[in-house]
Amino acid sequence: MIKQRTLKQTISTVGIGLHSGKKVSLTLHPMPVDFGIQFKRSDMPNSTPFKVSAEGVIETMLATKIASGPDSKETVSTVEHLMAALAAFGIDNVLIEVSAAEVPIMDGSSAPFVYLLQSAGTVDQEAPKRFIKIKKTVSVKEDDKVATLEPYNGFALDFTINFNHPVLNRTGDHVACDFSAKVFIEEFSRARTFGFMRDFEKMREYNLGLGGSLDNAIVVDDYRILNEGGLRYPDEFVRHKLLDAVGDLYQLGYPILGKFVGYKAGHRLNNLLIRELMSQQDAYEWVTCEEEEFSIFAQFTLPTFVHA
C-alpha cells in the first residue's frame, strides 16, 4: 500500500516576497494523517489554517493566489513553486505558516523548496494515500490555449509554449515526462520563473514586483536574456511552465493518476481545468494503490541527492 506522507520535523526559511519586496518567513510543520495541505498566515491575529482546493484559488494573474474563503483577507500568493515541490515529495499532510501575503520567491524556482524538504526529511504514515484517478478526458480552452487531463496509468505531463518572441523561439518549446521525484529534482526543479523587462517596468508602476530581480527570475528584453549566467536548461522556459502546472494541479490536495497536456496554458487555465474536473463526478474516482498496482511508485521514492 502506498501510504500518506508528512515531514519528519518542522523546518523554516526566510526569503523575499516577489511583489512586496519585504522579508517573508516560511515554516513547514509535520501533521497527522488526513490533515491535508493547509496554509496559515502567522502575521494575522486569530488566523486559522485553511486547506488547498481548486475552489480556493482566487487569482491567477501573475501567480496562483489562494484564500480561506471567497471574501477572506487571509490570502497567500505565489504558492505554485512550493506546491510543486510538495507534489514531487509526495507530501499529503503539512501545515504551511507564512508571515506575509505571499510565499517567498527564493530564486524563482522550486529548488530551494526541494532543499528545504530534503533537509526536513519525510516519513510515511499508517494510512493509505488517496489518488484522483482520471476516468475520462476533461479539457478547457481559452482562445488557442488548451489544458487537458486524460486517463493514464501513472502521472505524466506534456507541455508546449508558443510566445512568438525572438529569444524564446531560440529555445525548446515542448517538454514531456513521466513524473517522479527524481525526474522533477533533476530535470525541472531548477527552472526559474521568467518575465519581460517591459512587464516588470509596468508592475513597478503599480507597486508590484518590488522584490523581483535577476536573482529570482529570468528577465528578457526584446532581443536577449539579461541574466549574466544565461539559462540553467537549454529549454528552461517551457520547463518552468511545466513546473508551474505541477504546482497548480496539486491545489487539488491529492496526487493525480492521469496525463496532463497543456498548450500555452498558465495558472488560470490550469485552475479552470481542475475546477472542471471536480464538477464532472463521472470523470474521476478516488482510489488507493498497492505499490505494484500502478507504474507510479517511483514518484514517491525519494532520491538520496538534491540539486540546490
Side-chain angles (χ1 to χ4, degrees), residues 158-248:
D158 185 300
F159 207 102
T160 303
I161 59 173
N162 184 354
F163 281 93
N164 192 26
H165 187 282
V167 175
L168 275 67
N169 287 351
R170 295 196 294 267
T171 71
D173 63 358
H174 174 258
V175 68
C177 71
D178 277 283
F179 189 77
S180 72
K182 186 175 187 296
V183 166
F184 181 81
I185 292 171
E186 287 188 330
E187 305 295 337
F188 298 99
S189 68
R190 298 178 67 244
R192 295 160 293 176
T193 192
F194 59 92
F196 304 100
M197 178 57 73
R198 60 179 181 271
D199 295 332
F200 279 109
E201 292 169 349
K202 288 180 181 178
M203 285 193 292
R204 295 287 171 85
E205 293 176 4
Y206 294 94
N207 286 323
L208 296 173
L210 300 179
S213 72
L214 295 174
D215 293 328
N216 54 40
I218 307 169
V219 182
V220 178
D221 65 13
D222 291 338
Y223 307 102
R224 61 197 171 98
I225 295 168
L226 301 182
N227 302 68
E228 185 176 343
L231 298 178
R232 294 176 174 177
Y233 307 99
D235 53 355
E236 188 169 356
F237 299 107
V238 69
R239 291 190 191 217
H240 184 80
K241 295 294 286 185
L242 186 145
L243 182 159
D244 278 346
V246 171
D248 288 340

Coordinates of all heavy atoms in Angstrom, one line a residue, residues 158-248:
D158 N 2.8 16.8 -20.4 CA 3.2 17.2 -21.7 C 2.9 18.7 -21.9 O 1.7 19.1 -21.8 CB 2.5 16.3 -22.8 CG 2.9 16.6 -24.2 OD1 2.8 17.7 -24.7 OD2 3.4 15.6 -24.8
F159 N 3.9 19.5 -22.2 CA 3.6 21.0 -22.2 C 4.3 21.6 -23.4 O 5.4 21.3 -23.7 CB 4.1 21.6 -20.9 CG 3.4 22.9 -20.6 CD1 2.4 22.9 -19.6 CD2 3.7 24.1 -21.3 CE1 1.7 24.1 -19.3 CE2 3.0 25.2 -21.0 CZ 2.0 25.3 -20.0
T160 N 3.6 22.5 -24.1 CA 4.1 23.3 -25.2 C 3.8 24.8 -25.0 O 2.7 25.2 -24.6 CB 3.4 22.8 -26.5 OG1 3.6 21.4 -26.7 CG2 4.0 23.6 -27.7
I161 N 4.9 25.6 -25.2 CA 4.7 27.0 -25.2 C 4.8 27.6 -26.6 O 5.4 26.9 -27.5 CB 5.8 27.7 -24.3 CG1 7.2 27.4 -24.8 CG2 5.6 27.3 -22.9 CD1 8.3 28.2 -24.1
N162 N 4.3 28.8 -26.8 CA 4.4 29.5 -28.1 C 4.3 31.0 -27.8 O 3.2 31.5 -27.9 CB 3.3 29.0 -29.0 CG 3.4 29.6 -30.4 OD1 4.3 30.5 -30.7 ND2 2.6 29.1 -31.3
F163 N 5.4 31.6 -27.6 CA 5.4 33.0 -27.2 C 5.6 34.0 -28.4 O 5.5 35.2 -28.3 CB 6.4 33.3 -26.1 CG 5.9 32.9 -24.8 CD1 6.3 31.7 -24.2 CD2 5.2 33.8 -24.0 CE1 5.8 31.3 -23.0 CE2 4.8 33.5 -22.7 CZ 5.1 32.2 -22.2
N164 N 6.1 33.4 -29.5 CA 6.4 34.2 -30.7 C 7.3 35.4 -30.3 O 7.1 36.5 -30.6 CB 5.1 34.7 -31.4 CG 5.4 35.3 -32.8 OD1 6.4 34.9 -33.4 ND2 4.6 36.2 -33.2
H165 N 8.4 35.0 -29.7 CA 9.4 36.0 -29.2 C 10.8 35.6 -29.7 O 11.1 34.4 -29.6 CB 9.4 36.1 -27.7 CG 10.2 37.2 -27.1 ND1 11.6 37.1 -27.0 CD2 9.9 38.4 -26.6 CE1 12.1 38.2 -26.4 NE2 11.0 39.0 -26.2
P166 N 11.6 36.5 -30.2 CA 12.9 36.0 -30.8 C 13.8 35.3 -29.8 O 14.5 34.4 -30.2 CB 13.5 37.4 -31.3 CG 12.7 38.4 -30.6 CD 11.4 37.9 -30.4
V167 N 13.7 35.6 -28.5 CA 14.6 35.0 -27.6 C 14.0 33.6 -27.2 O 14.7 32.6 -27.3 CB 14.8 35.8 -26.3 CG1 15.6 35.0 -25.2 CG2 15.4 37.1 -26.6
L168 N 12.8 33.5 -26.9 CA 12.1 32.2 -26.6 C 12.1 31.3 -27.7 O 12.1 30.1 -27.6 CB 10.7 32.5 -26.0 CG 10.7 32.8 -24.5 CD1 11.3 34.1 -24.2 CD2 9.3 32.7 -23.9
N169 N 12.0 31.8 -28.9 CA 11.9 31.0 -30.1 C 13.3 30.2 -30.3 O 13.3 29.2 -31.1 CB 11.7 31.8 -31.4 CG 10.2 32.3 -31.4 OD1 9.4 31.9 -30.6 ND2 9.9 33.2 -32.4
R170 N 14.3 30.7 -29.7 CA 15.6 30.0 -29.9 C 15.8 28.9 -28.9 O 16.8 28.2 -28.9 CB 16.8 31.0 -29.8 CG 16.8 32.1 -30.9 CD 18.2 32.8 -30.9 NE 18.4 33.6 -29.7 CZ 18.1 34.9 -29.6 NH1 17.5 35.5 -30.6 NH2 18.4 35.5 -28.5
T171 N 14.8 28.7 -28.0 CA 14.9 27.6 -27.0 C 13.8 26.6 -27.3 O 12.9 26.9 -28.1 CB 14.7 28.2 -25.6 OG1 13.4 28.6 -25.4 CG2 15.7 29.3 -25.3
G172 N 13.9 25.5 -26.6 CA 12.9 24.4 -26.9 C 11.5 24.9 -26.4 O 11.3 25.6 -25.4
D173 N 10.5 24.5 -27.2 CA 9.1 24.9 -26.9 C 8.2 23.7 -26.4 O 7.0 23.9 -26.1 CB 8.5 25.6 -28.1 CG 8.3 24.6 -29.3 OD1 8.7 23.4 -29.2 OD2 7.8 25.0 -30.3
H174 N 8.8 22.5 -26.2 CA 8.0 21.4 -25.8 C 8.8 20.5 -24.9 O 10.0 20.3 -25.1 CB 7.6 20.6 -27.1 CG 6.8 19.3 -26.7 ND1 7.5 18.0 -26.7 CD2 5.6 19.1 -26.3 CE1 6.6 17.1 -26.4 NE2 5.5 17.7 -26.1
V175 N 8.1 20.0 -23.9 CA 8.7 19.0 -22.9 C 7.7 18.0 -22.4 O 6.5 18.4 -22.3 CB 9.4 19.8 -21.8 CG1 8.4 20.4 -20.9 CG2 10.3 18.9 -21.0
A176 N 8.1 16.8 -22.2 CA 7.1 15.8 -21.7 C 7.9 14.9 -20.7 O 9.1 14.7 -20.9 CB 6.5 15.0 -22.8
C177 N 7.2 14.3 -19.8 CA 7.8 13.4 -18.8 C 6.8 12.5 -18.1 O 5.6 12.9 -18.1 CB 8.6 14.1 -17.8 SG 7.6 15.0 -16.6
D178 N 7.2 11.4 -17.6 CA 6.5 10.6 -16.6 C 7.1 11.1 -15.3 O 8.2 11.0 -15.0 CB 6.8 9.1 -16.8 CG 5.9 8.5 -17.8 OD1 4.7 8.3 -17.5 OD2 6.4 8.2 -18.9
F179 N 6.2 11.6 -14.5 CA 6.5 12.4 -13.3 C 7.1 11.5 -12.2 O 6.5 10.4 -11.9 CB 5.3 13.2 -12.8 CG 5.6 14.1 -11.7 CD1 6.2 15.3 -11.9 CD2 5.3 13.8 -10.3 CE1 6.5 16.3 -10.9 CE2 5.6 14.7 -9.3 CZ 6.2 15.9 -9.6
S180 N 8.1 11.9 -11.5 CA 8.7 11.2 -10.4 C 9.5 12.2 -9.6 O 9.9 13.3 -10.1 CB 9.5 10.0 -10.7 OG 10.8 10.4 -11.3
A181 N 9.8 11.9 -8.3 CA 10.6 12.8 -7.5 C 12.0 13.0 -8.2 O 12.5 14.1 -8.3 CB 10.8 12.2 -6.1
K182 N 12.6 11.9 -8.7 CA 13.9 12.0 -9.3 C 13.9 12.9 -10.6 O 14.7 13.8 -10.8 CB 14.4 10.6 -9.6 CG 15.9 10.6 -10.2 CD 16.3 9.1 -10.4 CE 17.8 9.0 -10.7 NZ 18.1 9.7 -12.0
V183 N 12.9 12.6 -11.4 CA 12.7 13.4 -12.7 C 12.5 14.9 -12.3 O 13.2 15.8 -12.9 CB 11.6 12.9 -13.5 CG1 11.2 13.9 -14.6 CG2 12.0 11.5 -14.1
F184 N 11.6 15.2 -11.4 CA 11.4 16.6 -11.0 C 12.6 17.3 -10.5 O 13.0 18.4 -11.0 CB 10.3 16.7 -10.0 CG 9.9 18.1 -9.6 CD1 9.1 18.8 -10.4 CD2 10.4 18.6 -8.4 CE1 8.8 20.1 -10.1 CE2 10.1 19.9 -8.1 CZ 9.3 20.7 -8.9
I185 N 13.3 16.6 -9.6 CA 14.5 17.3 -9.0 C 15.6 17.5 -10.0 O 16.2 18.6 -10.1 CB 15.0 16.4 -7.8 CG1 14.0 16.5 -6.7 CG2 16.4 16.9 -7.4 CD1 14.4 15.5 -5.6
E186 N 15.8 16.5 -10.9 CA 16.9 16.6 -11.8 C 16.6 17.5 -13.0 O 17.4 18.2 -13.5 CB 17.3 15.2 -12.4 CG 18.0 14.3 -11.4 CD 18.5 13.1 -12.0 OE1 17.9 12.6 -13.0 OE2 19.6 12.6 -11.6
E187 N 15.4 17.4 -13.5 CA 15.0 18.0 -14.8 C 14.2 19.3 -14.8 O 14.1 20.0 -15.8 CB 14.3 16.9 -15.7 CG 15.0 15.6 -15.8 CD 16.3 15.8 -16.6 OE1 16.5 16.8 -17.4 OE2 17.2 15.0 -16.4
F188 N 13.5 19.5 -13.6 CA 12.6 20.7 -13.6 C 12.7 21.6 -12.5 O 12.4 22.8 -12.6 CB 11.1 20.1 -13.7 CG 10.9 19.3 -14.9 CD1 10.9 18.0 -14.9 CD2 10.6 20.0 -16.1 CE1 10.6 17.2 -16.1 CE2 10.3 19.3 -17.3 CZ 10.3 17.9 -17.3
S189 N 13.2 21.1 -11.3 CA 13.1 21.9 -10.1 C 13.9 23.2 -10.2 O 13.5 24.2 -9.5 CB 13.6 21.1 -8.9 OG 14.9 20.9 -9.0
R190 N 14.9 23.3 -10.9 CA 15.8 24.5 -11.0 C 15.3 25.5 -12.1 O 15.9 26.6 -12.2 CB 17.2 24.1 -11.2 CG 17.8 23.3 -10.1 CD 19.2 22.8 -10.4 NE 20.1 24.0 -10.4 CZ 20.8 24.4 -11.5 NH1 20.7 23.8 -12.7 NH2 21.6 25.4 -11.4
A191 N 14.3 25.2 -12.8 CA 13.7 26.1 -13.9 C 13.1 27.3 -13.2 O 12.1 27.1 -12.4 CB 12.8 25.3 -14.8
R192 N 13.5 28.5 -13.6 CA 13.1 29.7 -12.9 C 11.9 30.4 -13.6 O 11.7 30.2 -14.9 CB 14.2 30.7 -12.8 CG 15.4 30.3 -12.0 CD 16.6 31.1 -12.3 NE 17.1 30.7 -13.7 CZ 18.1 31.3 -14.3 NH1 18.7 32.3 -13.7 NH2 18.5 30.9 -15.5
T193 N 11.1 31.1 -12.9 CA 10.1 31.9 -13.5 C 10.8 33.0 -14.4 O 11.9 33.3 -14.2 CB 9.3 32.6 -12.4 OG1 8.1 33.2 -13.0 CG2 10.1 33.7 -11.7
F194 N 10.0 33.5 -15.4 CA 10.6 34.4 -16.3 C 9.6 35.5 -16.6 O 8.4 35.4 -16.4 CB 11.0 33.7 -17.6 CG 9.9 33.0 -18.3 CD1 9.2 33.6 -19.3 CD2 9.6 31.6 -18.0 CE1 8.2 32.9 -20.0 CE2 8.6 30.9 -18.7 CZ 7.9 31.6 -19.6
G195 N 10.2 36.6 -17.1 CA 9.3 37.7 -17.5 C 10.0 38.7 -18.4 O 11.3 38.6 -18.6
F196 N 9.3 39.6 -19.0 CA 9.8 40.5 -19.9 C 10.1 41.9 -19.3 O 9.3 42.3 -18.4 CB 8.9 40.7 -21.1 CG 8.6 39.4 -21.8 CD1 7.4 38.7 -21.5 CD2 9.5 38.8 -22.7 CE1 7.1 37.5 -22.1 CE2 9.2 37.6 -23.2 CZ 8.1 36.9 -23.0
M197 N 11.2 42.5 -19.6 CA 11.6 43.8 -18.9 C 10.4 44.8 -19.0 O 10.1 45.5 -18.0 CB 12.8 44.3 -19.6 CG 13.3 45.7 -19.0 SD 13.6 45.6 -17.2 CE 15.1 44.7 -17.3
R198 N 9.7 44.9 -20.1 CA 8.6 45.8 -20.2 C 7.5 45.5 -19.2 O 6.9 46.5 -18.7 CB 8.1 45.8 -21.6 CG 7.5 44.5 -22.1 CD 6.9 44.6 -23.5 NE 6.4 43.3 -23.9 CZ 7.0 42.3 -24.5 NH1 8.3 42.5 -24.8 NH2 6.4 41.2 -24.9
D199 N 7.3 44.2 -18.9 CA 6.3 43.9 -17.9 C 6.7 44.2 -16.5 O 5.9 44.7 -15.7 CB 5.9 42.4 -18.0 CG 5.3 42.1 -19.4 OD1 4.6 43.0 -20.0 OD2 5.4 40.9 -19.8
F200 N 8.0 44.0 -16.2 CA 8.5 44.4 -14.9 C 8.4 45.9 -14.6 O 8.0 46.3 -13.6 CB 9.9 43.9 -14.7 CG 10.1 42.5 -14.4 CD1 10.6 41.6 -15.3 CD2 9.8 42.0 -13.1 CE1 10.8 40.3 -14.9 CE2 9.9 40.7 -12.8 CZ 10.4 39.8 -13.7
E201 N 8.6 46.7 -15.7 CA 8.5 48.1 -15.6 C 7.1 48.5 -15.3 O 6.8 49.4 -14.5 CB 9.1 48.8 -16.8 CG 10.6 48.6 -17.0 CD 11.1 49.0 -18.4 OE1 10.2 49.2 -19.3 OE2 12.3 49.1 -18.6
K202 N 6.1 47.9 -15.9 CA 4.7 48.2 -15.7 C 4.3 47.8 -14.3 O 3.6 48.6 -13.6 CB 3.9 47.5 -16.8 CG 4.0 48.0 -18.2 CD 3.1 47.3 -19.1 CE 3.2 47.8 -20.5 NZ 2.4 47.0 -21.5
M203 N 4.8 46.7 -13.8 CA 4.4 46.2 -12.5 C 4.9 47.2 -11.4 O 4.2 47.5 -10.5 CB 5.0 44.8 -12.2 CG 4.2 43.7 -12.9 SD 4.7 42.1 -12.2 CE 6.4 41.9 -12.8
R204 N 6.1 47.7 -11.6 CA 6.7 48.7 -10.7 C 5.8 49.9 -10.6 O 5.7 50.5 -9.5 CB 8.1 49.0 -11.1 CG 9.1 47.8 -11.0 CD 9.4 47.5 -9.6 NE 10.2 46.2 -9.5 CZ 11.5 46.1 -9.6 NH1 12.2 47.2 -9.8 NH2 12.1 45.0 -9.5
E205 N 5.2 50.3 -11.7 CA 4.3 51.5 -11.6 C 3.1 51.3 -10.7 O 2.6 52.2 -10.2 CB 3.8 51.8 -13.1 CG 4.9 52.2 -14.0 CD 4.4 52.4 -15.4 OE1 3.2 52.3 -15.6 OE2 5.2 52.7 -16.3
Y206 N 2.7 50.0 -10.5 CA 1.6 49.7 -9.6 C 2.1 49.1 -8.3 O 1.3 48.4 -7.6 CB 0.7 48.7 -10.3 CG 0.0 49.3 -11.5 CD1 0.5 49.1 -12.8 CD2 -1.2 50.0 -11.4 CE1 -0.1 49.7 -13.9 CE2 -1.8 50.5 -12.5 CZ -1.3 50.4 -13.8 OH -1.9 50.9 -14.9
N207 N 3.4 49.3 -7.9 CA 3.9 48.8 -6.7 C 3.9 47.3 -6.6 O 3.7 46.7 -5.5 CB 3.2 49.4 -5.5 CG 3.7 50.9 -5.3 OD1 4.8 51.2 -5.5 ND2 2.7 51.7 -4.8
L208 N 4.0 46.6 -7.8 CA 4.1 45.2 -7.8 C 5.5 44.8 -8.3 O 6.2 45.6 -8.9 CB 3.0 44.6 -8.8 CG 1.6 44.9 -8.4 CD1 0.6 44.4 -9.5 CD2 1.2 44.1 -7.1
G209 N 5.9 43.5 -8.0 CA 7.2 43.0 -8.5 C 8.3 43.8 -7.8 O 9.4 43.8 -8.4
L210 N 8.1 44.3 -6.6 CA 9.1 45.1 -5.9 C 10.3 44.3 -5.5 O 11.4 44.8 -5.3 CB 8.5 45.9 -4.7 CG 7.4 46.9 -5.1 CD1 6.9 47.5 -3.8 CD2 7.9 47.9 -6.1
G211 N 10.1 42.9 -5.3 CA 11.1 42.0 -4.9 C 11.8 41.3 -6.1 O 12.7 40.5 -5.9
G212 N 11.3 41.6 -7.3 CA 11.8 40.9 -8.5 C 13.1 41.4 -8.9 O 13.4 42.6 -8.9
S213 N 14.0 40.5 -9.3 CA 15.4 40.9 -9.7 C 16.0 39.7 -10.6 O 15.3 38.7 -10.8 CB 16.3 41.1 -8.5 OG 16.6 39.9 -7.9
L214 N 17.1 40.0 -11.1 CA 17.8 38.9 -11.9 C 18.2 37.8 -11.0 O 18.7 36.7 -11.5 CB 19.1 39.5 -12.5 CG 18.8 40.6 -13.6 CD1 20.1 41.2 -14.1 CD2 18.0 40.0 -14.8
D215 N 18.1 37.9 -9.7 CA 18.4 36.8 -8.7 C 17.3 35.8 -8.6 O 17.5 34.7 -8.1 CB 18.8 37.4 -7.3 CG 20.1 38.2 -7.4 OD1 21.0 37.8 -8.2 OD2 20.2 39.1 -6.6
N216 N 16.1 36.2 -9.0 CA 14.9 35.3 -8.8 C 14.0 35.2 -10.0 O 12.9 34.8 -9.9 CB 14.1 35.8 -7.5 CG 13.7 37.2 -7.6 OD1 13.3 37.7 -8.6 ND2 13.8 37.9 -6.4
A217 N 14.5 35.6 -11.2 CA 13.7 35.4 -12.4 C 14.7 35.5 -13.6 O 15.7 36.2 -13.5 CB 12.7 36.5 -12.5
I218 N 14.3 34.9 -14.7 CA 14.9 35.1 -16.0 C 14.2 36.4 -16.6 O 13.0 36.4 -16.7 CB 14.7 34.0 -16.9 CG1 15.2 32.6 -16.3 CG2 15.5 34.2 -18.2 CD1 14.8 31.4 -17.1
V219 N 15.0 37.4 -16.9 CA 14.5 38.6 -17.4 C 14.9 38.7 -18.9 O 16.1 38.6 -19.2 CB 14.9 39.8 -16.6 CG1 14.3 41.1 -17.2 CG2 14.5 39.7 -15.2
V220 N 14.0 39.0 -19.8 CA 14.2 39.1 -21.2 C 13.8 40.4 -21.7 O 12.7 40.9 -21.4 CB 13.4 37.9 -21.9 CG1 13.6 38.0 -23.4 CG2 13.8 36.6 -21.4
D221 N 14.6 41.0 -22.6 CA 14.2 42.2 -23.3 C 13.8 41.8 -24.7 O 13.5 40.6 -24.9 CB 15.2 43.3 -23.3 CG 16.5 43.0 -24.0 OD1 16.5 42.0 -24.8 OD2 17.5 43.7 -23.9
D222 N 13.7 42.7 -25.6 CA 13.3 42.3 -27.0 C 14.2 41.5 -27.7 O 13.9 40.9 -28.7 CB 13.0 43.6 -27.8 CG 11.8 44.4 -27.3 OD1 10.9 43.7 -26.6 OD2 11.7 45.6 -27.5
Y223 N 15.5 41.4 -27.3 CA 16.5 40.7 -28.1 C 17.3 39.6 -27.3 O 18.0 38.8 -27.9 CB 17.4 41.7 -28.7 CG 16.7 42.8 -29.5 CD1 16.5 44.0 -28.9 CD2 16.2 42.5 -30.7 CE1 15.9 45.0 -29.6 CE2 15.5 43.5 -31.4 CZ 15.4 44.8 -30.9 OH 14.7 45.7 -31.5
R224 N 17.4 39.7 -26.0 CA 18.3 38.9 -25.3 C 17.9 38.6 -23.8 O 17.0 39.2 -23.3 CB 19.7 39.5 -25.2 CG 19.7 40.9 -24.5 CD 20.9 41.7 -24.8 NE 20.7 43.1 -24.3 CZ 21.2 43.5 -23.1 NH1 22.0 42.7 -22.4 NH2 21.1 44.7 -22.7
I225 N 18.5 37.6 -23.2 CA 18.4 37.2 -21.8 C 19.3 38.1 -21.0 O 20.5 38.2 -21.3 CB 18.7 35.8 -21.6 CG1 17.6 34.9 -22.3 CG2 18.7 35.5 -20.1 CD1 18.0 33.4 -22.3
L226 N 18.8 38.8 -20.0 CA 19.6 39.8 -19.3 C 20.4 39.2 -18.2 O 21.4 39.8 -17.7 CB 18.7 40.9 -18.7 CG 17.9 41.7 -19.8 CD1 17.1 42.8 -19.1 CD2 18.9 42.3 -20.8
N227 N 20.1 38.0 -17.7 CA 20.8 37.3 -16.6 C 22.2 37.0 -17.1 O 22.4 36.4 -18.2 CB 20.1 36.0 -16.2 CG 18.7 36.3 -15.8 OD1 17.8 36.7 -16.6 ND2 18.4 36.1 -14.5
E228 N 23.2 37.3 -16.3 CA 24.6 37.1 -16.7 C 24.9 35.6 -16.9 O 25.7 35.3 -17.8 CB 25.5 37.7 -15.6 CG 27.0 37.6 -15.9 CD 27.8 38.3 -14.8 OE1 27.3 39.0 -14.0 OE2 29.1 38.0 -14.8
G229 N 24.3 34.7 -16.1 CA 24.6 33.3 -16.3 C 23.8 32.6 -17.4 O 24.0 31.4 -17.6
G230 N 22.9 33.3 -18.0 CA 22.1 32.6 -19.0 C 21.1 31.7 -18.4 O 20.6 31.9 -17.3
L231 N 20.8 30.6 -19.2 CA 19.8 29.6 -18.8 C 20.4 28.5 -18.0 O 21.5 28.1 -18.3 CB 19.0 29.1 -20.0 CG 18.3 30.2 -20.8 CD1 17.6 29.5 -22.0 CD2 17.2 30.9 -19.9
R232 N 19.6 27.9 -17.1 CA 20.1 26.7 -16.4 C 19.8 25.4 -17.2 O 20.5 24.4 -17.0 CB 19.3 26.6 -15.1 CG 19.6 27.7 -14.1 CD 18.8 27.6 -12.8 NE 19.2 28.6 -11.8 CZ 18.6 28.7 -10.7 NH1 17.5 28.0 -10.4 NH2 19.1 29.6 -9.8
Y233 N 18.8 25.4 -18.1 CA 18.5 24.4 -19.0 C 18.3 25.0 -20.4 O 17.9 26.2 -20.5 CB 17.2 23.7 -18.7 CG 17.0 23.2 -17.3 CD1 16.3 23.9 -16.3 CD2 17.5 21.9 -16.9 CE1 16.1 23.4 -15.0 CE2 17.3 21.4 -15.6 CZ 16.6 22.2 -14.7 OH 16.4 21.7 -13.4
P234 N 18.7 24.3 -21.5 CA 18.5 24.9 -22.8 C 17.1 25.3 -23.1 O 16.8 26.3 -23.8 CB 19.0 23.8 -23.7 CG 19.8 22.9 -22.9 CD 19.3 23.0 -21.5
D235 N 16.1 24.6 -22.5 CA 14.7 24.9 -22.6 C 14.0 25.3 -21.3 O 13.0 24.8 -21.0 CB 14.0 23.7 -23.3 CG 14.2 22.4 -22.5 OD1 15.0 22.4 -21.5 OD2 13.6 21.4 -22.9
E236 N 14.7 26.2 -20.6 CA 14.2 26.5 -19.2 C 12.9 27.1 -19.2 O 12.1 26.9 -18.2 CB 15.2 27.4 -18.5 CG 15.0 27.6 -17.0 CD 16.1 28.4 -16.3 OE1 17.2 28.6 -16.9 OE2 15.9 28.7 -15.1
F237 N 12.5 27.8 -20.2 CA 11.2 28.5 -20.2 C 10.0 27.5 -20.1 O 9.2 27.6 -19.3 CB 11.0 29.4 -21.4 CG 12.1 30.5 -21.5 CD1 13.1 30.4 -22.4 CD2 12.0 31.6 -20.7 CE1 14.1 31.4 -22.5 CE2 12.9 32.6 -20.7 CZ 14.0 32.5 -21.7
V238 N 10.1 26.5 -21.0 CA 9.0 25.5 -21.1 C 9.0 24.6 -19.9 O 8.0 24.2 -19.3 CB 9.0 24.7 -22.4 CG1 10.2 23.8 -22.5 CG2 7.7 23.9 -22.5
R239 N 10.2 24.3 -19.4 CA 10.3 23.5 -18.1 C 9.7 24.2 -16.9 O 9.1 23.6 -16.1 CB 11.8 23.2 -17.9 CG 12.4 22.2 -18.9 CD 13.7 21.7 -18.5 NE 14.4 21.0 -19.5 CZ 15.1 19.9 -19.4 NH1 15.3 19.4 -18.2 NH2 15.7 19.4 -20.5
H240 N 9.9 25.5 -16.9 CA 9.2 26.2 -15.8 C 7.7 26.2 -15.9 O 7.0 26.1 -14.9 CB 9.7 27.7 -15.7 CG 9.1 28.4 -14.5 ND1 9.6 28.2 -13.2 CD2 8.0 29.2 -14.3 CE1 8.9 28.9 -12.3 NE2 7.9 29.5 -13.0
K241 N 7.2 26.3 -17.1 CA 5.8 26.2 -17.3 C 5.2 24.9 -16.8 O 4.1 24.8 -16.3 CB 5.4 26.5 -18.7 CG 5.7 27.9 -19.2 CD 4.9 29.0 -18.5 CE 3.5 29.1 -19.0 NZ 2.8 30.2 -18.4
L242 N 6.0 23.8 -17.1 CA 5.6 22.5 -16.6 C 5.6 22.5 -15.1 O 4.7 21.9 -14.4 CB 6.4 21.4 -17.2 CG 6.0 20.0 -16.9 CD1 6.3 19.1 -18.1 CD2 6.8 19.4 -15.7
L243 N 6.7 23.0 -14.5 CA 6.8 23.1 -13.0 C 5.6 23.8 -12.5 O 5.0 23.4 -11.5 CB 8.1 23.9 -12.7 CG 8.5 24.0 -11.2 CD1 10.0 24.3 -11.1 CD2 7.7 25.2 -10.5
D244 N 5.2 24.9 -13.0 CA 4.0 25.7 -12.6 C 2.8 24.8 -12.6 O 1.9 24.8 -11.7 CB 3.8 26.9 -13.4 CG 4.6 28.1 -13.0 OD1 5.2 28.1 -11.9 OD2 4.7 29.1 -13.8
A245 N 2.6 24.0 -13.7 CA 1.4 23.2 -13.9 C 1.4 22.1 -12.8 O 0.3 21.8 -12.2 CB 1.5 22.5 -15.3
V246 N 2.5 21.6 -12.4 CA 2.6 20.6 -11.3 C 2.0 21.2 -10.0 O 1.2 20.6 -9.3 CB 4.0 20.0 -11.1 CG1 4.1 19.2 -9.8 CG2 4.5 19.2 -12.3
G247 N 2.5 22.4 -9.7 CA 2.1 23.1 -8.5 C 0.6 23.5 -8.6 O -0.1 23.3 -7.6
D248 N 0.1 23.9 -9.7 CA -1.3 24.3 -9.9 C -2.2 23.1 -9.7 O -3.3 23.1 -9.1 CB -1.5 25.0 -11.2 CG -0.9 26.4 -11.3 OD1 -0.7 27.0 -10.2 OD2 -0.7 26.9 -12.4

